[in-house]
Amino acid sequence: MINKILEYIKPKRKILILMHNNPDPDTIASAFALKTLFSALQKKRCTLAYHGLIGRAENRELVKLCKIDMHLSAKLNFARYDCLVLVDTQPTAGNVFIQKKISPDIVIDHHNLRSHTKKVELHDIRKNYGSTSTIITEYYKQLNITPDTNTATALFYGIKTDTLGSGRSNSKVDTEMMGYILPGISLNKLAKIENPELPKYYFKNMKKATENAVVINDLIFCNLSDVRNADLIAETSDFFLRMRDIKWTFVIGKINNICYFSLRCKSTKRKVGHIALGLVRGIGTGGGHMKSAGGQIPLKEYNYDEIVTKVKERLLTKIFGSSDIDQKRL
């Protein structure tokens, strides 16, 4: 596939590589490594773009230490680019900002193939891979190219966070690609990325989360209401999943007029991504993997409290078969 992509972009002058909203390490690393590859092989002018916020301290440290130049997509004119590439997301996924009447030329992702993606000129969708960074690393290996230190470090962290983190799963190819780039990473930068100083609002959020969380059988349900950024919702869900005797975590919150949620499970027997799709059916968008998923719901037809009630009922019914279950404070 990488050879087809390289052939396709040969005549292109300006390439826009678009990440999903509120970018995580996998999408950041994938976009950065793809830009580096295009620049090295064909000296292409590439712009990396995202919508939303870079929330987690780890993600900001990744961008800073690996010297990743990124731009807000809302401030760009998409029409000025003759090639649009989506990484770690797909059209109609609900988590990517694309200006009207603009369609992607290339889509590279590891989530389930969406029907709209089939219409894209070139798409490389590998749902059995644990991360999009794994796909991009494999491109480097197939081309027999060794990524520079910053690119290797970003890719390694991108794969690691999407496969070895709380509630994640990985495949043989993920570990193989981590091994391929391991000799070229900066252990010093990786340590700083993984252990950044945390802002005061992170600890205020965790205090709020523990006060609001309830336990329902082996599930922790937490309503955060207003949050500073969407990453806090996923961070809180990962945090609670470490608790003993807990198998599920669900955290929900809102930013402006959008409701976000994060669902985690310790077991690979339940397809969490499919559960997330069921939670948002008819009211929003969502998806994910075997043990990790999320979604977003516009606050239009229903207000936030109504959404929380509706989603909670759907969640409990899907997991336990009934929404009428006793709950207790954490």
Side-chain angles (χ1 to χ4, degrees):
M1 178 56 74
I2 183 55
N3 290 315
K4 289 183 180 179
I5 292 173
L6 291 172
E7 187 64 28
Y8 181 85
I9 67 168
K10 267 186 181 180
K12 307 300 181 182
R13 293 179 62 253
K14 295 184 68 178
I15 300 172
L16 180 61
I17 302 175
L18 191 60
M19 298 167 254
H20 62 64
N21 301 343
N22 307 308
D24 64 8
D26 187 27
T27 193
I28 293 171
S30 300
F32 176 52
L34 204 59
K35 173 184 177 180
T36 304
L37 193 62
F38 290 171
S39 300
L41 293 179
Q42 298 189 7
K43 302 188 184 303
K44 293 297 179 182
R45 296 172 60 188
C46 302
T47 300
L48 305 185
Y50 71 98
H51 185 70
L53 297 171
I54 303 174
R56 290 198 189 207
E58 292 90 340
N59 300 352
R60 295 196 296 272
E61 203 71 10
L62 168 66
V63 171
K64 173 186 171 184
L65 292 178
C66 291
K67 300 178 181 178
I68 304 174
D69 187 24
M70 299 164 54
H71 302 268
L72 287 168
S73 54
K75 294 184 177 181
L76 300 175
N77 181 1
F78 281 38
R80 295 182 60 189
Y81 298 87
D82 55 358
C83 183
L84 174 61
V85 184
L86 298 189
V87 291
D88 201 35
T89 185
Q90 296 177 50
T92 71
N95 67 340
V96 61
F97 171 81
I98 303 178
Q99 291 174 4
K100 292 181 179 179
K101 298 182 180 180
I102 301 292
S103 298
D105 301 281
I106 302 169
V107 176
I108 305 170
D109 191 24
H110 69 116
H111 299 92
N112 290 329
L113 176 65
R114 290 178 173 267
S115 59
H116 198 84
T117 303
K118 297 175 183 178
K119 304 173 186 177
V120 176
E121 183 79 16
L122 286 173
H123 57 268
D124 191 359
I125 311 300
R126 309 186 193 184
K127 66 178 185 178
N128 293 324
Y129 282 42
S131 75
T132 303
S133 293
T134 303
I135 301 173
I136 306 299
T137 302
E138 195 166 77
Y139 289 169
Y140 275 81
K141 185 177 181 181
Q142 289 171 349
L143 294 167
N144 197 28
I145 296 175
T146 301
D148 62 67
T149 301
N150 284 337
T151 305
T153 303
L155 284 171
F156 186 90
Y157 187 62
I159 298 172
K160 183 178 179 182
T161 55
D162 249 35
T163 61
L164 303 180
S166 299
R168 309 297 175 116
S169 57
N170 63 84
S171 66
K172 182 180 179 181
V173 69
D174 296 310
T175 53
E176 285 179 353
M177 291 304 102
M178 289 182 76
Y180 175 71
I181 53 177
L182 178 60
I185 73 171
S186 168
L187 291 174
N188 182 48
K189 287 186 177 183
L190 182 63
K192 290 180 178 179
I193 292 168
E194 293 183 323
N195 299 283
E197 290 188 337
L198 297 169
K200 188 179 293 184
Y201 68 75
Y202 171 87
F203 298 96
K204 288 183 177 179
N205 176 76
M206 289 307 174
K207 178 177 182 293
K208 177 182 177 182
T210 53
E211 290 174 346
N212 291 349
V214 294
V215 178
I216 307 170
N217 286 349
D218 54 5
L219 160 76
I220 288 181
F221 185 97
C222 179
N223 177 9
L224 288 175
S225 296
D226 291 293
V227 293
R228 185 162 180 155
N229 61 68
D231 279 347
L232 283 173
I233 295 169
E235 283 186 279
T236 305
S237 195
D238 288 337
F239 172 75
F240 281 139
L241 195 64
R242 298 175 62 188
M243 187 176 295
R244 184 181 300 159
D245 298 326
I246 291 298
K247 295 180 181 179
W248 298 85
T249 59
F250 183 91
V251 180
I252 190 168
K254 69 183 176 80
I255 303 172
N256 299 325
N257 292 316
I258 301 179
C259 168
Y260 296 90
F261 69 83
S262 175
L263 175 64
R264 301 286 188 264
C265 180
K266 289 179 180 175
S267 173
T268 58
K269 295 180 180 180
R270 303 293 296 270
K271 294 183 178 180
V272 178
H274 290 294
I275 293 176
L277 285 173
L279 298 182
V280 298
R281 186 162 289 117
I283 56 174
T285 58
H289 308 287
M290 294 177 75
K291 299 194 291 183
S292 173
Q296 46 277 318
I297 303 166
L299 299 176
K300 296 179 180 179
E301 184 178 347
Y302 303 96
N303 64 39
Y304 178 71
D305 290 335
E306 289 173 330
I307 288 293
V308 172
T309 299
K310 180 180 289 290
V311 170
K312 186 176 182 180
E313 288 178 353
R314 289 181 177 184
L315 175 69
L316 297 181
T317 301
K318 285 184 174 296
I319 294 178
F320 304 119
S322 170
S323 61
D324 185 21
I325 304 175
D326 291 337
Q327 61 183 41
K328 59 183 179 180
R329 287 289 177 183
L330 190 63

